[in-house]
Structure formats: structure tokens, C-alpha cells
Amino acid sequence: MAVRRADVAKLAGTSPAVVSYVLNGGPRGVAPETRARVLAAIEQLGYRPNGIARSLRTNRTMTFGLLVPDTSNPFFAQLARAIEEAAFAEDYTLLIGNAAEDDARQTAYVRTFLARRVDGLFLVPAHGPTSCLPELRKSGVAWVTLDRQTPGRYAAAVMADHRGGARAATEHLLAHGRRRIGCIAGPEDVIPANARVTGWRDALAGAGVHPSEMSVWHGSFGRRAGYRAAREMLAGGRFDAVFVASDQQAIGVLRAMQDLGIRCPDDVAVASFDGIAAAAYTSPALTTMAQPFDELGQTAVRRLLDRLDDPAADTASSVLPVDLVARGSCGCPDPIVGDESDTDGDAPAPGDGTGVPA
């Protein structure tokens, strides 16, 4: 026989209403001693509240949806983990969808999340058109964009400082005496990719190097794209360094350099962006601008909860700083990798002096 709330109340020596107050955190306060008895009775009887009934009462399902462009990209995997951790700390369950960089699939997932009555959505827009936005705005569901902005001021955006981080990475290469610095960037229709190219240009111009004399190669944020770009850009021996817009691309760049017989960093130095865990395990290890994954997740959840509490809450962007993690690919000493966690999602610890994940 199913355990009822009345059974819990009887064992705890209180009323079903008090049991409800304990389970729902109100609306009335409960004395600590009474609360302890109720929780002990719940544990002893194995009582499980009816989540559907609670959703009907509170008008919340305690679920969020997260839609990312590509679940095979380690950056989005680490970002999703950070969001899930932050959501879990607030008693929310996270549903994840993979748009696979496809607008129609992205829209289908948005509709699925809305049909499941999620309380809010996190959206990392796929590159290209974003046809789901009118539907999202019409739904009235709270949502926050991550990593990439969308047109208009309909939702808060949480992202890293793409432009400033790219400038810092390029300035670090310049500090190593490199002057002929190419750029391997992401897709031209993705805002972070363009912001990182702008940061690269800022650094070159600041050092008296004309960006127009250097090359920019645009492609997807993947290892294969990075490999292909490096084969084209570096074969002529024109560059002594390259800023790469993502760690995934940079892994492909290192492989292409090996195949071309180009030594890193002796012949060509490399600095990249994102700070995924794998960047610490290439040879040489990648110098990268590490995004603050935990802070991105916590900030995104906080901004979404603010929207749930107040639909008129501020929609201004939250731009978080990134940190340089200097390793061997730029010419800095390559750290010795010690005992690591066996969890590939562990993010690098920016500025900890080791350059390897915690």
C-alpha cells in the first residue's frame, strides 16, 4: 500500500498540513523539533511526494531545459556539467538537448521543452538562423542565453569576455617576441568567433602590427577544421605564431604541425581559447584562455531564477573574465602532469601555477 501524507503525520505526531509545510518550505514556519520528527517519519516510511500534484499546486515542475549546438564538443559538455551542478543545488532537474548545429532541430527541441512545461530554458544558439526565438518570446517561459547573444533584449545573456580574452592571448604571444601571428577562427556567423577575431586584431594593432597583413581563417569549432586550417596557413612558413579561437581547433592545429614537421613552439607558437580539460594533455600542452565554467553555470542559473521571480528582471548581459593558463605551446615551461582526476570534465584551474586540471 502506498504511503500517504497522513501516515507521515501520524507517525510524527503532527498534522498533514505541517508535513506539507516541511515538504514545501512553507507557507508557514515549522519548529525545528517538529521538522526533525517529520523528516525522520518520511525516512522511516519511505514516503515519496507526488511530484505531479506538487507541480499543479506550485505551478512549477522544478525542471530546466538546456539546448546546446553540439554535445560532442567538450566545451559544451563542461558547460552543461556546470549548469547541471548549479541547477541541482537549487533543487532543479536539467533536461539537455543537442541541436547538432541545425536550426530545425533546435526549434524542435524548444517545442519539446515547452511541451514538457519546463520552468525555464538555457539556450546556446546554434550558428545560423534562430527560428525558435519568436516561439520562445510568445511562450512566456523564462530563458537565458549562454556563450552567444541573440538579437534584441528579450533574455539575459551570460558569456565570457571573448574579445578581451583573445586580446590577452595574442598579447601573450607578442610578449614571447612573436610578430607574425595568424588567426584560426570559428564560423563567421557566430558572435563569439567574431569577438575573438576582433580581440586578436586589437592586440596586433596595439603592438604596431597591421592586422590586414596577417591571415584569418574561418571554420567550425572542431579538430578537423583546425587541422585543415593549419595545413593551409602554416605550410608556407610565413607565421611564427597562431591564435586559435578554440581548444578543439588547436588540438587539430598541433597535429597538423606535427605532420608538416613544424616544431611547436620553436617554429610556431600557439595560444587558444576555452580551457577545456583536454588542453592540459596535448604535447606540448596548450596555452589557453580558460573560461570560468563554474561561474558561468552559477550565474546563468541565478539569472534564470531572477527571471522566474520577476519577469521584468534586468536582461543586461553578464560578461565574465577569462584567465590565461600558460603552458608549453606558447614557449612557457610545460607543466608536469601529476595525478589527475579520472573525470574528463574537470576544468583547468586558472592561475594555479600548474596548468593542469584540479
Side-chain angles (χ1 to χ4, degrees), residues 48-298:
R48 295 293 178 267
N50 187 321
I52 296 175
R54 180 165 26 175
S55 295
L56 291 172
R57 289 193 307 273
T58 63
N59 201 31
R60 289 194 181 183
T61 61
M62 303 305 293
T63 57
F64 289 144
L66 167 64
L67 187 52
V68 298
D70 181 8
T71 52
S72 70
N73 187 324
F75 168 75
F76 294 121
Q78 285 184 226
L79 182 61
R81 177 182 175 182
I83 295 168
E84 191 277 332
E85 290 284 352
F88 185 79
E90 297 291 342
D91 296 325
Y92 275 86
T93 297
L94 188 69
L95 308 178
I96 301 176
N98 174 31
E101 295 290 7
D102 180 77
D103 182 54
R105 180 165 170 154
Q106 179 171 254
T107 300
Y109 262 114
V110 166
R111 289 172 179 166
T112 297
F113 287 149
L114 294 177
R116 290 179 178 270
R117 299 182 61 83
V118 295
D119 294 328
L121 274 171
F122 301 103
L123 175 65
V124 185
H127 73 264
T130 313
S131 303
C132 64
L133 293 183
E135 206 160 334
L136 262 177
R137 293 196 293 265
K138 186 178 178 181
S139 72
V141 169
W143 53 290
V144 168
T145 61
L146 280 147
D147 188 55
R148 310 168 184 184
Q149 290 174 301
T150 54
R153 294 286 297 275
Y154 299 100
V158 178
M159 65 192 72
D161 183 1
H162 301 293
R163 181 174 178 174
R167 175 169 186 155
T170 308
E171 288 174 341
H172 186 72
L173 292 172
L174 288 162
H176 276 279
R178 311 295 170 136
R179 301 287 291 179
R180 305 187 311 278
I181 305 173
C183 178
I184 295 175
E188 291 185 81
D189 57 355
V190 175
I191 291 176
N194 291 322
R196 294 175 193 180
V197 171
T198 301
W200 164 78
R201 289 192 174 115
D202 290 342
L204 293 182
V209 178
H210 294 291
S212 60
E213 297 176 359
M214 300 295 109
S215 296
V216 181
W217 189 97
H218 285 277
S220 65
F221 284 120
R223 288 168 289 185
R224 184 177 299 176
Y227 179 87
R228 186 169 66 251
R231 294 280 305 197
E232 294 177 10
M233 182 180 285
L234 301 179
R238 178 184 171 195
F239 299 97
D240 59 12
V242 60
F243 167 64
V244 189
S246 76
D247 293 341
Q248 278 285 86
Q249 290 173 312
I251 291 171
V253 168
L254 291 181
R255 174 57 190 268
M257 290 174 65
Q258 183 182 44
D259 290 353
L260 291 168
I262 298 172
R263 298 170 301 167
C264 180
D266 299 15
D267 301 325
V268 176
V270 176
S272 58
F273 202 108
D274 282 337
I276 64 173
Y281 298 95
T282 58
S283 181
L286 279 170
T287 289
T288 183
M289 302 305 299
Q291 298 206 43
F293 288 101
D294 288 344
E295 190 176 355
L296 286 167
Q298 292 160 7

